[in-house]
Amino acid sequence: MLVHVKTFRFVANGAVIRHETCEDCGQPFRYTLTRSATGKASSLYGTFTKAASARAQKDAQKKLTRLLKTDADLVPCPKCRHVNQSLIAAYRAARYRGMPRIGALLFGAGVVAEVLVYLTSNAIGPRHGLHHPSGIVVGIATAALVAALGLPLLAYMLRRAINPNRRPGEPEVPIGTPPSEMQVKIDGNSEPQWVKVPSVDPAKVLAGQWAFFRAGHLSFPPLCCQCLGTADGTIKSALGGKRLIAAPICRNCQKMLSRKEAFGTMTVLMMATILGLSIGWLFATKRGSSGLGPGIAAGIISLLIALKIRQRGSNALYRLKFADKSRGVLKIRFANPAYTALIIRDQAEKDAIVPAAASDKAPSAPDQAF
Ligand SMILES: [Zn+2]
Ligand SMILES: [Zn+2]
């Protein structure tokens, strides 16, 4: 490769505590706003890598600070389940931000295309008997205008559609919305205590096949994720995405897994060899002895494809995906659904009605560089 670019990524996780007062019933409450932001920076030919990784970190921190300052979660009042208009407004403003940007980009591309059409039609059109390509001009202009006006309009309409207060008392809030916390006096105790109230209907959370969690706030039950036995090690899934998280596993399952993987790799190697040999044989019978070269080439290509497929399919212990990137909400699902169920229950318990931390300091999650 002529130009070598190394890209650095840095994920900054952060949380702040937000204090609210219900605009309907006057109940004061608080919630923890958790966000995660990714910063990117590149370095050419591996030079100034330190500066690039520092830039990625700074970029992530800047984005995170803005999110923590301006974004909001649709947390219903713990008493009357109403969602404050100020929260809805801030939440709406932070969604679908990419759409108008894409519209502007497409509009710019349309303008450039029109200029190119104009220049080329003027340069070659009249001389070579080409007519003005008016169809193309009109087409590009229409597409550019539709993108420039349509995408911001679509974003506006999608934002307007976000209305958790449609059914009073039964707010529609997305999974991963943090619980609200309010101060109550428990058994005539003189000091009021913070108590958590789930924002999302627990039945909805428990019925899902995925475990949802806010970035940096996933903890695994200390059991093997395959057989639910005692875990004595950890393992990363091939389908874990870029954010590699190691899940607990027992020695037996680990052994079984590597045996399965070795067997899979052997099968793939054999299939690729057979395929390569048969293609080589086909060529050889058709064109005499010159089939060896294409045969070897076909064998190598099928081997590469097979290994790529193998890499994706191997060790699929769990899948990890973003459920909502803008809120930093992720979802995870294990090959063993019983283990997923355990995590779902754990997460639901964390958000359930339990005494919350007394301090007013938001919990912190570690940042990640990769
Ligand atoms: Zn209220
Ligand atoms: Zn096991």
Side-chain angles (χ1 to χ4, degrees):
M1 218 197 245
L2 278 172
V3 181
H4 176 79
V5 181
K6 189 169 160 54
T7 304
F8 291 84
R9 281 190 181 78
F10 190 87
V11 176
N13 292 320
V16 284
I17 287 188
R18 289 280 182 80
H19 286 268
E20 293 283 328
T21 303
C22 177
E23 60 193 15
D24 238 30
C25 73
Q27 169 71 40
F29 64 97
R30 70 175 192 188
Y31 74 94
T32 307
L33 179 77
T34 311
R35 286 293 179 268
S36 109
T38 309
K40 265 192 245 174
S42 307
S43 95
L44 274 179
Y45 300 103
T47 53
F48 304 112
T49 52
K50 239 186 193 159
S53 97
R55 251 185 297 137
Q57 191 170 344
K58 213 174 146 191
D59 183 32
Q61 287 295 349
K62 207 175 120 191
K63 283 183 192 161
L64 179 67
T65 309
R66 190 181 56 78
L67 281 175
L68 290 178
K69 213 165 145 189
T70 57
D71 208 352
D73 272 323
L74 298 174
V75 178
C77 161
K79 216 165 156 189
C80 75
R81 313 301 289 154
H82 172 82
V83 181
N84 278 353
Q85 282 306 322
S86 57
L87 292 180
I88 298 174
Y91 183 85
R92 277 178 178 169
R95 303 308 110 176
Y96 308 109
R97 290 174 69 94
M99 272 191 195
R101 229 172 287 159
I102 291 169
L105 258 160
L106 287 174
F107 185 76
V111 171
V112 170
E114 291 283 33
V115 169
L116 284 176
V117 168
Y118 175 77
L119 288 177
T120 49
S121 66
N122 260 5
I124 61 165
R127 232 174 296 155
H128 294 82
L130 270 172
H131 295 293
H132 240 57
S134 55
I136 297 175
V137 171
V138 172
I140 293 174
T142 315
L145 277 176
V146 165
L149 299 173
L151 283 173
L153 186 71
L154 185 65
Y156 173 78
M157 275 164 27
L158 285 169
R159 281 184 195 136
R160 295 292 300 178
I162 300 172
N163 179 17
N165 292 327
R166 218 167 270 137
R167 274 178 302 170
E170 285 174 69
E172 287 170 54
V173 301
I175 288 185
T177 302
S180 62
E181 295 173 19
M182 62 173 175
Q183 280 189 306
V184 283
K185 280 186 182 178
I186 299 170
D187 339 306
N189 218 334
S190 56
E191 277 296 298
Q193 269 187 298
W194 285 104
V195 164
K196 280 187 195 175
V197 178
S199 294
V200 186
D201 181 4
K204 196 172 145 192
V205 176
L206 290 171
Q209 288 179 318
W210 291 83
F212 290 78
F213 61 98
R214 292 178 282 279
H217 292 262
L218 173 70
S219 48
F220 292 116
L223 300 171
C224 170
C225 65
Q226 277 286 87
C227 69
L228 306 186
T230 319
D232 31 29
T234 57
I235 194 161
K236 287 171 179 172
S237 169
L239 299 181
K242 274 182 183 144
R243 301 178 161 213
L244 288 171
I245 295 177
I249 193 161
C250 76
R251 207 162 293 145
N252 262 344
C253 288
Q254 209 158 10
K255 253 187 223 158
M256 230 157 66
L257 218 71
S258 41
R259 222 174 289 152
K260 225 167 100 184
E261 240 170 282
F263 180 74
T265 309
M266 288 267 287
T267 315
V268 161
L269 280 174
M270 264 164 59
M271 301 274 274
T273 312
I274 290 167
L275 194 69
L277 282 177
S278 28
I279 292 172
W281 178 77
L282 268 177
F283 269 95
T285 48
K286 275 206 168 162
R287 302 189 191 169
S289 59
S290 61
L292 202 60
I296 291 172
I300 289 173
I301 291 170
S302 48
L303 189 68
L304 288 177
I305 294 171
L307 283 177
K308 194 81 203 152
I309 295 168
R310 179 86 206 108
Q311 200 189 4
R312 275 200 62 82
S314 71
N315 172 18
L317 277 180
Y318 62 82
R319 277 162 196 275
L320 177 68
K321 281 187 197 173
F322 264 112
D324 182 350
K325 202 164 182 175
S326 66
R327 283 188 298 137
V329 174
L330 294 113
K331 57 181 186 178
I332 194 165
R333 184 180 179 175
F334 278 82
N336 182 356
Y339 196 76
T340 317
L342 279 178
I343 300 181
I344 293 175
R345 224 186 46 208
D346 255 28
Q347 293 293 123
E349 264 167 27
K350 266 188 215 166
D351 288 359
I353 304 180
V354 285
S359 87
D360 218 20
K361 209 176 158 298
S364 62
D367 298 332
Q368 277 175 296
F370 54 90

